[in-house]
Structures are given as C-alpha cells and as structure tokens.
Amino acid sequence: MEKTYNPHAIEQRWYQTWEERGYFAPSRAGDANYCIMIPPPNVTGSLHMGHGFNNTIMDTLIRYHRMKGDRTLWQPGTDHAGIATQMVVERQLEAEHRKRHDLGREKFIERIWEWKQESGGNITRQLRRLGSSLDWQHERFTMDEGLSEAVKEVFVRLYEEGLIYRGKRLVNWDPKLHTAVSDLEVLSEEENGFMWHIRYPLSNGQGHLVVATTRPETLLGDCAVAVNPADERYRHMIGELLELPLTGRRIPIIADEEHVDPEFGTGCVKITPAHDFNDYAVWQRHRDEISISEQAHGGLINILTIDAAIRNNEDEEAHLIPEKYIGLDRYEARKRVVADLETQGLLLKVDEHKLMVPRGDRSGAVIEPFLTDQWYVKIAPLAKPAIEAVESGRIRFVPDNWKNTYFEWMRNIQDWCISRQIWWGHRIPAWYDDEGNVYVGRDEAEVRRTHQLSDDYPLRQDEDVLDTWFSSALWPFSTLGWPEQTERLQNFYPTSVLVTGFDIIFFWVARMIMMGLKFMDDVPFHEVYVHGLVRDSHGDKMSKSKGNVLDPIDLIDGIELETLLKKRTSGMMQPQLAKKIEQQTRKEFPDGIPSFGTDSLRFTFAALAATGRDIKFDMGRIEGYRNFCNKLWNASRYVMMNVEGQDCGVGPARTGHSAPASELQRSLADRWILSRLQKAKQAVADAIEGYRFDHAAQAIYEFTWNEYCDWYLELSKPVLNDPNASEAAKRGTRRTLVRVLENLLRLTHPIMPFITEEIWQRVAPLAGVDGETIMNRPFPSRRESLIDEAAEQEMEWVMQFILGIRKIKGEMNIAPAKQVPVLLANASEADQSLALRHRPFLDFLARTESIEVLPPNDHGPESATALVGEMKVLIPLAGLIDKDAEIKRLEKEISRLQGDAERTEKKLGNPSFVDKAPPAVVQKERDKLNENLKALESLRAQLDKIQSL
RNA sequence: AGGCGCGUAGCUCAGUUGGUUAGAGCGCUACCUUGACAUGGUAGAGGUCGUUGGUUCGACUCCAAUCGCGCCUACCA
C-alpha cells in the first residue's frame, strides 16, 4: 500500500467497477423493500453543495440498507425544469440576437432537446463522482415517454373528476417571461418606495376624498374607492360618485369592512380589480354596486399588456385609457401620471414608504397581478387526505416540527395554477374548436373518438404547458411504471423515506403526498427527512453573485487559485462585483483548494448533518476528515504489514476454519477492542436508523482514532514484537487486528464507500472473509458474546496507569522516550497482579524502566505521584524531577479534588437532597466523595513528604 | 402580524427522557523525525452554556420574560 492515502487513484476505478457489475440494482432477494426516490435535479444543471449533502445522506441510507440485506432501490432521474431550462436556451439565443419566436415553437423545442443532450449527462456524471449508488439502468426523465403518459393520465382523470378546471382569474404574471407563475414562484422582498396621496373629487362638487397608493399608475384601472362602513368620516358619502382623475370616468364610493382599515393611510382605498388581488376580492363582493354606475366591463378593467406596458383599449367601445399613456411602460406611466396629477393640483403629498415587492423567482422581474385564462387544480379535496396522512402518522417528518409548517400551508392552500405560457414542458392535453369548446383527452384521436368529432373537424391544442411541479408531483409512482401495474411499482411503492431540503416542502413534498394518495391510494413515502441548507463558512447562502459558491467537485479534485477565480467571476450578472469576489477568494483560498477526495467530503457532510440545522461548510472540518481517511489508511497499512503472510488463526475464506482455542490466545487488549467494537456497531446503526448521521460519523471517528489506533494498535506492538510472546498470543492479536479492521471497514462503508472498498479488498481475504465487494457484505451487527465488561474495566486500569505516567512526564518536561523506574505504593493484590500481567503494555506505552511493588506502609522515596484507584504510582525524583514543579503539580491536583469534594459534601449535607433524590443518585455521590477523600489524603501525604525535604 | 428555529471554548459544532469536573474537531502553547501515519504522537491552556426571573434537593437541559440573529408564511392600499 502507498504510504499516503490518495483518493484519486481509487475512486473512479471503483465506481466504474460497481456500476459495470450491476451492484446498484435491487437484489432479487431480501426480506424488506427499501426505496428512496432521488429528488430529480434539473437535467441541464450542475451539482452544488446542496446536492452533495442531500445525496451523501441518501447514499448512506441506501448502502446501509443494502448491506442489511434489504431489497434496495435508489431511483435516479432528472427533471426538465421548464422555466429554468427554457431561460438558459433563450439566453443562448440572445447571444445570437434571436428570440424564441424567431425560431418558432417546434424549432425552439428541438433546440432545447439538443441542449439537453449536450449538457444532460453532466449532472449524472457528477452524481457518480459522489459515489451515489443509484440504479442507473432505470434512469428516468420527467419528459420521457412513460412519464409523459403518466402526466396526461393524471390530467385527464383529474379533469374528468372536476378537479381540474379552466378559468379567467387574476394570476401572478411574469412580464419578462410572459407566463403565469404559481404563488410559490413569487418571492416578496421589502424595498423602498413611495406613498402618493391623491385627491379624488366628488362628482357633486361637494369636496373630495384622498386615497393613498404605492402604485399611482393603476389609477387608470380604478373602478371604485372603498371606505370602512364604520368610519364616521366617510359614512355619509357611501354611494356617491367620484371623478377619477385623468380619465374622465366616474366611480362609486363603496363600503367594505373586510379590506379597509380606517387606521391606515387616509382610510380610503382605491380599487383596481384587474391589478390587485385584494381589490379583485373587493370587486367580487361589490359587483352590483360597482356596475350600477354603468362602468365598462363592470369595472374590471385591464390596463396592462403582457409586457406590463399600458394597454391600448381601441377594441373597446369606450376609450377608457387616455391616449397619452398608451404604450408606456408601467414605470414610465407612473412618472407621467404623477406629473399630470401634480399639474392638476391633485397630488397632495408623497411619503417615503417601505413596501413588499413581488418578484419572479427565476426572472427577478416584478410580478403583476394579471387577468388571464389559466388551468387550475382544485386543491381542497386533494389537501384533506394529505393533511390526514400526516396527522395520523402515516407520514412522519424528521425533525418532527416540520409538520407544523406543512399543516400551516396545507390548511390555507389556494387552487394551484398549473398552466404556463412557455414552450418547454408537457403540453396541456386539451383541444379547442372554433366555437371555443374545450375537449380534454389523452390525445387528439381520443378526443375525436369520445366526442364523435369527424377527422376534418378543426381542433387546435392548447398552447400552454404544465407547471414543472405537476410532473414532479407524480415522481414516486411515475418512475416505477405507473399507470402500468409493474413489478417495480408493487415492490417499491410506497417508498421508505424522502430526503430533501425544507425549501421544497410546498413545491414538491406536499404535492407528491396529494397525488400519491389520489392515484396510488397510499402515501408516497413513510418518512420525510428534512435537512438544512449548506451555507458558506460565514453562514451566508452560497450564490453566484456573492461569489462564495463552492463546487463539490472542486473539493473532491482540488482547484488552482486562478481557475477558481475565473470560475467565480465569469458569466456574472453584475460584472462590477468581480473585483470584490476576486479579493475575497484570494484571501480565503490563497493557494486554491487542495484535493480532498469524495470520501472526505461525504464524511464531512455526514459529520455536519445535525438535524434541523443549516450547515456552515467549514474547510477546517473537511481537512480534518481528510486526515481521518489518511489515519484509516495508515492503520490498515500497519495491519497489512503485520498480518500479510503471517498466521492469524484464520482459515481461507469459506472453509470455516479457524484455529482451535488452544492455539489462539487473546490478550486484554484484544478482548477490550472487540468489546468496544460491538458497542461502536450498535452506536452507528442506531445513529443511522435515527437519521443522526453526525452521531454515526462521530462514533466511527472516535472508535477508529481514539480506541483502535491510539490504544489497540499500540498495544499490539509489544505482543507482536516480543520474541518471548507465545505463538498463540501473536496469532490472537493478528486475528483481532485484521478482524476488527474488516468490521470497521464495513461499519464505515455507507459513509465512505471508496476507501473502505479499496482497503477491504486487501484485508478481507486475510480476515477469512469472502465476497466480491464490501458493498454486498452484511452491515456489522453487535455480538453480545464479545462484549466483555471485565476486560473494559481492566483496560481502564491499564490506561489510567499509562496516562498517569505520561502526565507526569508531560508536565515535568521529561522526554516521553525517557525510561523511568516506577514504584507502586498501596497496591492491592489485584493491582499487583495486573501490573505483573500487563507489564509489557506498561513498559511499551509508558516507557517504564522497572516496576517495583513497595511493601505495605512503605511510602517510598521522594517521588512524583499518579493515582490509579487507591494505588500510588511513583516516579522517584532522584535527578529526574524538579521538586518545586512536583509541589505545584500536587497542589493543583489537590485543589481540584478538594473543590470537587466540597461540592459533593455540600450536596450530601443537604437533607432534602438525601431524602428526595433517587437512592442510586445519592449512592453515586457518596461513592464519589469516598474516592475523592481517599485520593486527597493520599496526595496530601505525598505533598507533606516532598515539602518536608 | 403569525409561525418555526438558533444563541455552549477564538472558529465549526455535539450534549437523547433534569443528576459529568459541560465534550469533540480545527486553531493555540510546550515537547517529540519511536519502524502505520508529521495529513502524525504526547501533554496542556481555554467556557459564570445570550440575559433575567421561576419550578426543583438539583437546570446547558423544564417554564416565563427579555435581548440578538436567521428562516418561513401572510400582508396595509
């Protein structure tokens, strides 16, 4: 084996082997089914830290269950990501100074497919680099044939049940992308703006009302002004008419209790029903009052084009919008409207005002409420069973509190607008004839058949496509073959767990639950593990514009500073930030990023995966875990060196041979490490089952480093190197060395697949273990027969002995290698026999020159002291040790013990503690005090002795 | 406005039904090229657990209030 762990040499090779040999496919046998659906990444996307984290967790679960013998499927696939992907290709066209309309629908879609072919493999290649053991044979894509069938099937069935309908409603309109978007795709942020106070004169010339608005240009579409019926100031005006400024129109004053807050602004609200959701609701409530005034369209006046410019109303009978504003962009129109109001003396004042501005999550454009025809899913009937599924515990959130977020949303859910005015996606399976009739069916032929329309009867398909999340919502069953009743569907639906970030609980999780219950009559998964966001080391969200994005592949492979700089500063939306990003990057990564390998990265993700918490990605951590890999690597190297070609009391694989007990002798250390291993196995399994990957990682780390390496490997040396040690003892130690390592590798494999496979291939034969790959070997389980409390206790004695001497050496500046003579005072029979039995361990790890037992009541010469239980371990001062230093050391130790003893005494002196605390707790305190007092007595005597010199 | 979460060593984080001297890694200090590993070893310094009250024999842990930070949902025109 190489001296230093080198991830690159092993990772690619093993992944290829695993995949080629078909290890990722579900096995035929298995008592239980275990299945996870990958949250499908954007087919043209690239891997980010969130994917890295998410997939590490899933792969750990999958590998763990596969090793446990479950029939395990991790379903791979990608999402067509309608708007996101279309935008990328539109940007490419833009570079050629073309628009999608220049190409036409068909050509444009072809172009997107081309782009998908070109970049589509990227994300899946990167998932492979992470070691993800996905069943690639069955990879799916949301727009592949089967999934498209599923989408149509669902649409048609929902339509037939009346759960999908078409209607003219106010939607969130993205004027840049020219499409409706759902509520979830709108992000509101507080921005600085103004509040304009505008005077609306009464038609009877008897005064005016003042309305306050943040959007004066929408005045052009006002149909009323609303006041609160309880507001004394305006009550007498209700029903009167107002002169709507700039338009020559008259609008009524209406009363609306629900919407108008008399305390806010002037207490008068202009109502613009076609451009504001609340106003639309007001309009619906007061339609009659509003249309009494003979307003065109009943007052529902759309003033904007799809680009959010002021619309031409030439097609209308009345010229509702004055000529001068027509064609102006909404913000230009705002300026003009404000200026004109000012000229006419109708603008009273302008206040600065903070307001929430809604923007499209993809385009960043300010969203307009806009009146259009759209398709909707009637959601309430679907939401009800989905709420119940979580209430009843059929679906469990981890951590539990996310269910509150889920309920909150599900109980206030609005109908889902599923049509999008874009081209990339599943075309809505609806056809129209020239009379405006709508026919819904799986395809045109079916529509003609069921509605008995002749082949030449003109029909055209709806131009719109479905929201991307519509197909994602079907993912847990569409990928398994639905609507066909396939074997995979039977085996793996419902799936076991969904692993995802909280950001898509509404977008995706809730919708999968609704669709799963509706079409499969069962939940899509039993558990939802919700993890946090991966942030940078300062806790900031990673984003291109901040220039703080880390690419998981760069952490795996490493990257030169210059390349990293180029990557972070090229193709930016705001090039002026490049300089700052360059500075930050140079400061944080002066030498670029070293290569850490996949296993280190995965272990880091696991170690940081505390539940319900975002993770700040700290380079120190990944470095530490890279070192851990190196530690494991070198420990294995040591084992190989000592075991290869030697007799380990292990027969060749499958022969079942192992040396008879008489030829095999286990040392204390052997029995101890085997016992500790059993506990580690339990801890790791419990942690993974409970989604505590941080605990799993920690248990592995501590066992490997602090027990196996720090103690056990060291303790194996005196046995293996002692020419006087029996062959049986050596055999026992070799066997333990290699067997524990082999177990440890399997224990670690779910988190770190590559390094464990690489080492296992060499170690397994020596451990007498058969198998082609570690992937399919059983996950280690606790063996009660190997738990040895006596050995653990005895080992504790040995460790205390060694630590005591090391401590004296460390604090006294005695070279660790310096061999010192040791005297034992107050040593019991047991102490003496332990010291004798484990002399080789003590000599080797504490570098003791000699160990001599003093007769009772002999306190020995002036010495430095360590306590092991009641026994005093003495290192004589003579020449070695500074008297004053030892006095100081003792005083420190005494004062610590004394403080402790006082605290305990006080506790025990408190009658209510003794009365009320459980007896076991009281006894524990008593024992502690006893021990303390004995130790104190012993140390004080020692101190007196040295002081009196 | 409502909901959720966080505040523990210089930094990143554990601390599972209240009972430890509050832990780990990184960083820091001193010493050590010992034959698995300097991506290492040994020893050590460092915390009034945001603040204030309360419950309790006992609070990092439970309750209340408060300060600071973050997120989500809905918004006042």
Side-chain angles (χ1 to χ4, degrees), chain A residues 674-675 678-679 782-789 792:
Chain A
L674 284 166
S675 183
Q678 307 316 310
K679 293 182 179 178
R782 174 178 160 126
R783 282 176 60 186
E784 290 304 323
S785 61
L786 289 175
I787 289 185
D788 188 339
E789 298 296 348
E792 290 198 37

Side-chain angles (χ1 to χ4, degrees), chain A residues 623-641:
Chain A
E623 206 173 308
Y625 295 128
R626 192 263 328 261
N627 294 352
F628 175 63
C629 289
N630 190 54
K631 190 76 178 175
L632 180 61
W633 182 264
N634 276 292
S636 308
R637 223 158 61 89
Y638 169 80
V639 173
M640 297 295 294
M641 283 166 60

Side-chain angles (χ1 to χ4, degrees), chain A residues 476-628:
Chain A
F477 50 91
S478 63
T479 49
L480 296 174
W482 190 90
E484 307 282 315
Q485 287 302 314
T486 61
E487 202 187 324
R488 279 168 84 82
L489 190 63
Q490 305 247 307
N491 277 339
F492 295 115
Y493 192 97
T495 68
S496 309
V497 60
L498 179 76
V499 179
T500 186
F502 57 82
D503 47 334
I504 52 177
I505 286 186
F506 306 143
F507 275 113
W508 194 43
V509 180
R511 288 165 177 171
M512 280 192 288
I513 296 174
M514 292 189 279
M515 291 300 191
L517 287 166
K518 178 75 190 165
F519 290 98
M520 292 297 297
D521 209 23
D522 201 349
V523 295
F525 28 72
H526 296 297
E527 294 187 313
V528 182
Y529 173 77
V530 182
H531 62 247
L533 224 60
V534 185
R535 298 168 175 280
D536 76 359
S537 58
H538 309 290
D540 290 327
K541 209 166 163 171
M542 293 190 187
S543 76
K544 178 90 181 153
S545 64
K546 283 195 205 117
N548 59 351
V549 173
L550 281 174
D551 184 339
I553 303 296
D554 292 343
L555 291 166
I556 293 171
D557 292 340
I559 185 168
E560 303 274 321
L561 175 62
E562 291 308 317
T563 322
L564 180 62
L565 284 173
K566 207 176 280 170
K567 203 167 156 174
R568 285 187 164 189
T569 55
S570 64
M572 298 192 58
M573 296 286 217
Q574 298 151 285
Q576 71 273 17
L577 298 175
K579 187 128 198 155
K580 197 175 155 205
I581 289 173
E582 180 175 339
Q583 277 171 358
Q584 280 172 358
T585 304
R586 279 187 192 282
K587 195 174 158 204
E588 200 173 352
F589 303 104
D591 304 310
I593 299 174
S595 149
F596 293 108
T598 299
D599 286 324
S600 315
L601 179 63
R602 289 174 57 123
F603 202 86
T604 309
F605 281 133
L608 292 173
T611 39
R613 195 171 179 137
D614 284 353
I615 62 177
K616 290 191 207 177
F617 197 87
D618 181 33
M619 296 300 286
R621 289 296 279 264
I622 192 171
E623 206 173 308
Y625 295 128
R626 192 263 328 261
N627 294 352
F628 175 63

Side-chain angles (χ1 to χ4, degrees), chain A residues 726-767:
Chain A
S726 74
E727 197 44 45
K730 291 188 177 185
R731 210 177 277 133
T733 291
R734 285 192 203 107
R735 180 184 159 100
T736 309
L737 266 178
V738 70
R739 285 248 159 130
V740 172
L741 177 60
E742 195 274 334
N743 271 265
L744 173 59
L745 292 169
R746 281 187 282 130
L747 197 61
T748 310
H749 180 259
I751 300 180
M752 300 205 292
F754 294 110
I755 188 174
T756 50
E757 175 78 294
E758 174 72 17
I759 299 172
W760 189 84
Q761 293 288 337
R762 302 164 198 242
V763 166
L766 300 171

Side-chain angles (χ1 to χ4, degrees), chain A residues 5 27 121 197 250 325 468 628 682 769 905:
Chain A
Y5 158 65
S27 65
H197 293 250
R250 291 186 168 189
Y325 303 115
T468 302
F628 175 63
Q682 184 77 55
V769 172
E905 265 170 343

